[in-house]
Amino acid sequence: MTAHDSGWSDGSPATPAVAEPGGIAGTAARPAPSVEMYDTTLRDGSQQVGLDLTVEDKLRVAAALDELGVDVVEGGWPGSNPKDKEFFARAGEIPWRNAKLAAFGATRRPNRSADGDPDLETLLVANTPIVTLVGKSWTLHVDEALRTTREENLAMIADSARFFVREGRRVVFDAEHFFDGYAADAGYALECLAAAAEAGADTLALCDTNGGTLPDDIVRIVRDVLGTFGGLRVGVHCHNDSACAVANSLVAVGEGATHVQGAANGYGERCGNADLFAVIAGLELKREHELLPPGRLGALAATAREIAELANLPFDAKQPYVGSSAFATKAGLHASAIARRPDAYSHVNPERVGNRAHVLVSELAGRSNVLVKAAEHRGYAFEAADASFELLVRRVAGRMPSWFDLEGYRVVIEKGSHTDRSEAIVRLLLGEQRVVAVGEGVGPVHALDQALRRALSELYPELASIHLVDYKVRILDGRDATSAVTRVMLTSADHEGEWTTVGVSDDIVTASWEALADGISYGLLRAGAVSLRASGTSPLIPA
Ligand SMILES: [Zn+2]
């Protein structure tokens, strides 16, 4: 579906080749100041209950954010855990295109020097162009949490900022609890900012750490700060405890803030951080800011979904702009009117953010799209399962080679007093030949993988370089355990890269088999293995 037959009056394509400032007709063409999008999914967002990313996951989330085109990716707090330390050590594996990497840490300890402070040293070793230092700006926290003098807190901020500026790093100062601090003692809160600024921090991020500030107070306080620190980049870091994190971020920018911190899909502890995607969409579509590289706004919905998959968290259908229900109106009475004038029923054209309007419109979009959509309904997640998606498209197009056909498998799970052991027997047809192989493993999936590999190894030596990297299981629609559907996402790799496949079934072993079989098939496709036959007449083009 193109924008031209969609009934949207703006007539703009979903992914314009050139950015379009002034998308709203009749708006004066004054260029908006450039606003920096700072993502903290991997640090603050990871505080969300139930969100536990491996280092591999973190690298993939960072790569997705970089590809979307955010300006800064905060990779974590290297001083707080070894996982974040490893992430920074491996961050060079990402082919960074758009984003700069930031490492997060606290100001030096009270009554010590910045030189030799072990936490600052760890931050330095993370070797990032940007260092984000969090410091106290609320007298209550200086007195009660830090238990030091207010003068010492100012010295801690200044010394730590100076330490990194001297090392050639760009310093962002996160003023923790700034809005509460400003309400309690505005003079002291501003002194904290001044300490950072005088020491060379180039960005002052005002944090609504408890998330209780309302938009009118944000406007007033951001205006005051800009009155004093107008020469620096001033930004906000808002939490959503009053359901105002996105609104607070938007009004701060309206007031002149040029730096917004947020997390993918609004992840974060308690009620979450500002949803960076909603902030980006709002500012780009409604306030003429150019935040992402040209054309990248159209990747917003897919990126949001991909990160939800990597986080192994359910994707909220009601999430503004990017959720599957964000533009879904119950058809019924309005169906023909929606088809004729979708702009009368949605606040923006969903294609601009890579979302879709409604199943009604999708039904016009051709057989393969409908098939994809039907599969999605069963819980397949193709944005994150790139390989399964490609295999599906190849099957639909009749361009899917075949390496093996399943005749059947049997899995025996043995529970012993000392060890658990599973055994799988896989029966395959390789052309005319019937092959039976047995595999043993620590669980049924491992045993199946072993048996499948054994059955195929002689015919396909390419398999030796393909291995499993990651395995994720999610129960979909868990309210009714008897009808629950299991989704398995499996990541495989060879020496050139990795790919993800998905399987969905009422039964976890069946779902795992689907993902395994797809994973192996895709690996063989990548390796250019000679197939038994190609379905259809099209010549096989390896990926
Ligand atoms: Zn925070």
Side-chain angles (χ1 to χ4, degrees), residues 43-44 237 239 273:
R43 200 269 307 170
D44 220 9
H237 170 112
H239 279 262
N273 284 65

Side-chain angles (χ1 to χ4, degrees), residues 135-142 175-194 204-210 213-214 216-229 234:
K136 304 289 184 199
S137 61
W138 184 2
T139 48
L140 176 69
H141 271 259
V142 177
E176 194 186 17
H177 296 287
F178 182 81
F179 293 93
D180 298 306
Y182 193 91
D185 185 339
Y188 185 74
L190 291 172
E191 276 185 64
C192 294
L193 298 184
L204 304 174
L206 317 178
C207 303
D208 187 23
T209 310
N210 288 354
T213 309
L214 299 183
D216 51 351
D217 285 331
I218 296 274
V219 165
R220 180 174 55 81
I221 296 171
V222 166
R223 186 181 298 159
D224 283 359
V225 171
L226 280 166
T228 309
F229 298 97
V234 171

Side-chain angles (χ1 to χ4, degrees), residues 305 315-319 322-328 355-357 373:
R305 195 173 279 267
F315 192 56
D316 183 4
K318 283 168 66 184
Q319 194 170 317
V322 297
S324 58
S325 302
F327 299 97
N355 208 342
R356 271 170 292 186
K373 194 149 183 69

Side-chain angles (χ1 to χ4, degrees), residues 12-23:
S12 51
T15 50
V18 183
E20 308 171 296

Side-chain angles (χ1 to χ4, degrees), residues 14-21 33-39 63-73 97-99 260 276-285 288-304 307 321-322 351-354:
T15 50
V18 183
E20 308 171 296
S34 109
V35 177
E36 181 172 69
M37 288 291 121
Y38 182 109
D39 181 274
L65 290 164
D66 174 61
E67 200 164 315
L68 178 68
V70 304
D71 299 295
V72 182
V73 169
R97 276 186 280 262
N98 298 300
V260 176
L276 200 66
F277 300 148
V279 172
I280 289 171
L283 291 176
E284 284 223 6
L285 293 175
E288 299 94 55
H289 288 277
E290 292 175 46
L291 305 171
L292 302 179
R296 293 308 292 156
L297 187 63
L300 204 66
T303 305
I307 291 176
Y321 295 100
V322 297
E351 288 185 26
R352 300 290 300 276
V353 291

Side-chain angles (χ1 to χ4, degrees), residues 136-489:
K136 304 289 184 199
S137 61
W138 184 2
T139 48
L140 176 69
H141 271 259
V142 177
D143 302 344
E144 300 297 331
L146 211 53
R147 290 166 176 256
T148 190
T149 65
R150 297 177 184 184
E151 291 69 34
E152 175 61 8
N153 179 54
L154 295 175
M156 287 160 63
I157 295 170
D159 289 353
S160 310
R162 202 172 292 119
F163 177 85
F164 289 106
V165 169
R166 236 178 16 223
E167 294 285 342
R169 311 299 171 85
R170 177 186 157 196
V171 173
V172 172
F173 177 60
D174 269 11
E176 194 186 17
H177 296 287
F178 182 81
F179 293 93
D180 298 306
Y182 193 91
D185 185 339
Y188 185 74
L190 291 172
E191 276 185 64
C192 294
L193 298 184
E198 283 159 18
D202 81 341
T203 301
L204 304 174
L206 317 178
C207 303
D208 187 23
T209 310
N210 288 354
T213 309
L214 299 183
D216 51 351
D217 285 331
I218 296 274
V219 165
R220 180 174 55 81
I221 296 171
V222 166
R223 186 181 298 159
D224 283 359
V225 171
L226 280 166
T228 309
F229 298 97
L232 297 186
R233 198 179 268 282
V234 171
V236 288
H237 170 112
C238 299
H239 279 262
N240 202 35
D241 300 72
S242 306
C244 291
V246 170
N248 285 348
S249 306
L250 296 175
V251 296
V253 170
E255 209 48 49
T258 50
H259 169 101
V260 176
Q261 300 191 0
N265 302 326
Y267 295 149
E269 63 186 335
R270 304 189 312 274
C271 311
N273 284 65
D275 173 9
L276 200 66
F277 300 148
V279 172
I280 289 171
L283 291 176
E284 284 223 6
L285 293 175
K286 303 182 184 212
R287 289 295 182 270
E288 299 94 55
H289 288 277
E290 292 175 46
L291 305 171
L292 302 179
R296 293 308 292 156
L297 187 63
L300 204 66
T303 305
R305 195 173 279 267
E306 182 186 352
I307 291 176
E309 293 301 337
L310 291 169
N312 207 20
L313 290 172
F315 192 56
D316 183 4
K318 283 168 66 184
Q319 194 170 317
Y321 295 100
V322 297
S324 58
S325 302
F327 299 97
T329 312
K330 269 200 177 174
L333 217 60
H334 304 303
S336 62
I338 294 168
R340 207 167 54 246
R341 287 302 301 265
D343 55 339
Y345 294 88
S346 297
H347 68 120
V348 296
N349 180 348
E351 288 185 26
R352 300 290 300 276
V353 291
N355 208 342
R356 271 170 292 186
H358 196 270
V359 69
L360 184 83
V361 180
S362 302
E363 273 165 9
L364 307 172
R367 182 163 164 265
S368 62
N369 278 4
V370 173
L371 277 174
V372 169
K373 194 149 183 69
E376 272 173 351
H377 276 289
R378 289 194 58 213
Y380 288 84
F382 287 113
E383 277 84 357
D386 47 353
S388 280
F389 180 73
E390 185 177 335
L391 295 180
L392 176 80
V393 171
R394 282 172 178 273
R395 281 179 194 122
V396 170
R399 294 166 74 100
M400 181 60 195
S402 170
W403 290 279
F404 58 91
D405 292 303
L406 176 70
E407 196 180 80
Y409 59 74
R410 189 166 51 189
V411 180
V412 180
I413 301 166
E414 188 183 314
K415 177 94 186 150
S417 53
H418 298 298
T419 52
D420 294 341
R421 196 180 70 95
S422 293
E423 187 180 271
I425 302 168
V426 171
R427 299 189 309 278
L428 302 179
L429 287 173
L430 306 178
E432 303 289 288
Q433 198 193 354
R434 185 162 180 270
V435 177
V436 180
V438 180
E440 268 191 39
V442 289
V445 179
H446 185 215
L448 269 176
D449 181 52
Q450 294 298 311
L452 179 60
R453 283 166 180 278
R454 197 161 292 167
L456 296 174
S457 59
E458 203 171 307
L459 193 56
Y460 304 114
E462 295 89 346
L463 269 179
S465 63
I466 299 171
H467 58 274
L468 282 183
V469 178
D470 193 23
Y471 175 79
K472 282 196 177 82
V473 177
R474 165 126 38 97
I475 307 298
L476 304 168
D477 195 13
R479 276 166 301 171
D480 177 4
T482 54
S483 69
V485 170
T486 303
R487 189 181 68 204
V488 169
M489 305 217 29

